[in-house]
Amino acid sequence: MENYTESTADFILLGLFPSSRVGLVLFILIVPIFLMALAGNLAMVLLIFLDVHLHTPMYVLLSQLSLMDLIYICTTVPKMASSFLSGNKSISFIGCGVQSFFFLTIAGAEGLILMSMAYDRYIAICFPLHYSIHMNRRVCVLMILGSWVTGAINACAHTVYILQISYCRSRTINHFFCDVPAMLTIACRTTRIHEYTVFLSTIFFLLFPSTIIVFSYGKVFLAVHRMRSQVGRKKAYSTCSAHLTVVTFYIVPFAYTYLRPKSLRSPAEDKVLAVFYTILTPVLNPVIYSLRNKEVLEALGRVIYRIFSFKL
C-alpha cells in the first residue's frame, strides 16, 4: 500500500452531515447555534473586560472559558460548514495540523480552567475569610497561564506526531475535523504507543480535573447544606449547579470518546459525541453563566447604559 506525507497532499474530511435533505436540515440547525455561541461568548469576554465589578477571579476565569469556547467553535464549525456548502471536503496537510493544534490546545486548557473555577468556588464558599489569600490576582494569572501553556505543549506534541507519520493513499478522515484518534486509524504503521499517550493525556486533562471538580463541589455542597441563610444557600446551589452542568456536558462525552479502546470506537458515534464538546458546550456556557447570574445581568445593564450615555 502506498503512503506519503508530503505537505502538498490533502486530507479528506467526510464531515458531519450526509449529502441529503436530512443533512441540509441539520446544517440549517447548526448555523444559528454557531452564531449564538459566537455572539454569546464574545459578549461575555467583552462584558467582563469592560465592567470593573467583574474583575474578580471567578469572572476572569469565566472570561477565559468564554475565550476558549470562542476559539473552539471557530476551529471546527466554519471549515465543516464551508465543506458542506461547497462540496469540497479536502483540507490541506498544514491546515489539518493547525486545526488539530488549536483544537487540542483548547481541549486541554478548558479542562484545567474548569478545574480552576471549581477550586475558586470551593475556596469562596468553604474558606471565605481566606479567599483573598488563596485566590488573589497572582494565583488567578498563574492558573490561566498554566492552563494555556500546558494545553499548548500537549497539543504541540500530538500535532508534530500526526504530521510526521505515514498515511494511507486514501487519506480520508471519518470526522468533521482533524481529530487525532480518527487520524490514527488511517496511519500506515502501528500507532499503539501514541494511542497510549492520547490515553494518558486524556487522564491528565480530563479525569484528573474532573476528580478535583467532584471533590471541590462535594465539599461545597456540604458547606452550603450547613448554611443558615436561605438566600445564600440558594445562590450557592445555583452557581454550583451551573458549573456542574457545564462540566458534565464537556468532560463526560470527551472522556467517553477518548478513553475507549480503538476496537470499541465507532466513527458515527464519535462524531455525535464530538458535537457536545465542540458545538453544544460553547453555546450553553454563556447562557448558563449569564441568564442565571444576577451580577452578569447587572453588569450588562451598566455597560449598555454607559454606551448609550456616551452616544448621547
Side-chain angles (χ1 to χ4, degrees):
M1 182 180 291
E2 292 184 53
N3 59 76
Y4 55 100
T5 57
E6 291 90 340
S7 59
T8 55
D10 293 348
F11 289 101
I12 302 297
L13 292 172
L14 292 185
L16 180 63
F17 312 117
S19 301
S20 63
R21 287 187 177 181
V22 175
L24 181 60
V25 171
L26 292 173
F27 173 78
I28 292 172
L29 290 175
I30 288 291
V31 171
I33 293 175
F34 169 72
L35 295 176
M36 285 172 59
L38 204 64
N41 286 293
L42 183 59
M44 287 295 292
V45 172
L46 293 176
L47 182 62
I48 294 170
F49 175 76
L50 293 173
D51 192 276
V52 293
H53 295 88
L54 298 182
H55 291 179
T56 62
M58 173 183 172
Y59 290 107
V60 171
L61 291 171
L62 178 56
S63 71
Q64 293 301 302
L65 180 65
S66 293
L67 178 61
M68 289 174 182
D69 283 338
L70 193 63
I71 300 172
Y72 216 159
I73 200 164
C74 288
T75 300
T76 56
V77 175
K79 175 58 183 173
M80 176 182 68
S82 65
S83 296
F84 179 78
L85 291 174
S86 66
N88 180 13
K89 297 184 177 182
S90 67
I91 182 171
S92 69
F93 185 82
I94 298 300
C96 195
V98 170
Q99 187 184 58
S100 177
F101 173 78
F102 278 105
F103 172 80
L104 291 171
T105 297
I106 302 302
E110 187 157 328
L112 298 179
I113 282 291
L114 288 171
M115 181 182 69
S116 301
M117 293 173 70
Y119 174 77
D120 172 75
R121 291 302 85 202
Y122 166 67
I123 297 297
I125 294 173
C126 298
F127 303 99
L129 298 179
H130 298 94
Y131 183 78
S132 59
I133 298 174
H134 295 289
M135 276 304 295
N136 51 46
R137 180 173 293 183
R138 179 175 175 273
V139 172
C140 187
V141 170
L142 287 175
M143 283 180 168
I144 292 169
L145 288 177
S147 299
W148 281 101
V149 171
T150 308
I153 292 173
N154 175 69
C156 188
H158 288 294
T159 303
V160 168
Y161 179 83
I162 63 171
L163 291 183
Q164 57 86 34
I165 61 176
S166 300
Y167 290 96
C168 297
R169 171 63 67 175
S170 68
R171 301 175 74 88
T172 301
I173 304 171
N174 195 355
H175 216 299
F176 59 91
F177 65 94
C178 293
D179 188 39
V180 170
M183 295 180 71
L184 293 180
T185 62
I186 61 171
C188 286
R189 71 184 192 196
T190 179
T191 58
R192 185 170 298 175
I193 293 177
H194 192 71
E195 288 171 22
Y196 288 142
T197 66
V198 171
F199 182 84
L200 292 175
S201 293
T202 306
I203 291 176
F204 179 78
F205 287 102
L206 293 179
L207 289 193
F208 173 68
S210 64
T211 303
I212 300 299
I213 290 168
V214 170
F215 172 80
S216 298
Y217 283 121
K219 289 287 188 179
V220 165
F221 281 122
L222 287 175
V224 169
H225 184 69
R226 300 190 189 103
M227 282 185 178
R228 294 182 180 180
S229 170
Q230 188 173 355
V231 175
R233 191 185 307 162
K234 184 178 179 181
K235 182 179 178 181
Y237 274 132
S238 178
T239 302
C240 294
S241 63
H243 290 194
L244 285 175
T245 301
V246 170
V247 169
T248 302
F249 268 93
Y250 180 74
I251 290 183
V252 172
F254 215 139
Y256 179 72
T257 299
Y258 278 69
L259 292 178
R260 279 180 302 163
K262 187 177 180 180
S263 58
L264 298 178
R265 299 188 63 177
S266 162
E269 191 177 41
D270 285 352
K271 286 191 280 188
V272 172
L273 290 170
V275 170
F276 280 90
Y277 52 81
T278 60
I279 299 174
L280 294 184
T281 300
V283 78
L284 283 176
N285 284 351
V287 173
I288 290 172
Y289 286 113
S290 59
L291 296 181
R292 298 188 57 180
N293 193 308
K294 185 180 177 181
E295 291 179 347
V296 171
L297 293 175
E298 289 176 349
L300 180 60
R302 287 191 296 267
V303 170
I304 292 174
Y305 176 78
R306 279 161 48 193
I307 292 172
F308 279 97
S309 298
F310 178 77
K311 286 184 177 180
L312 293 174

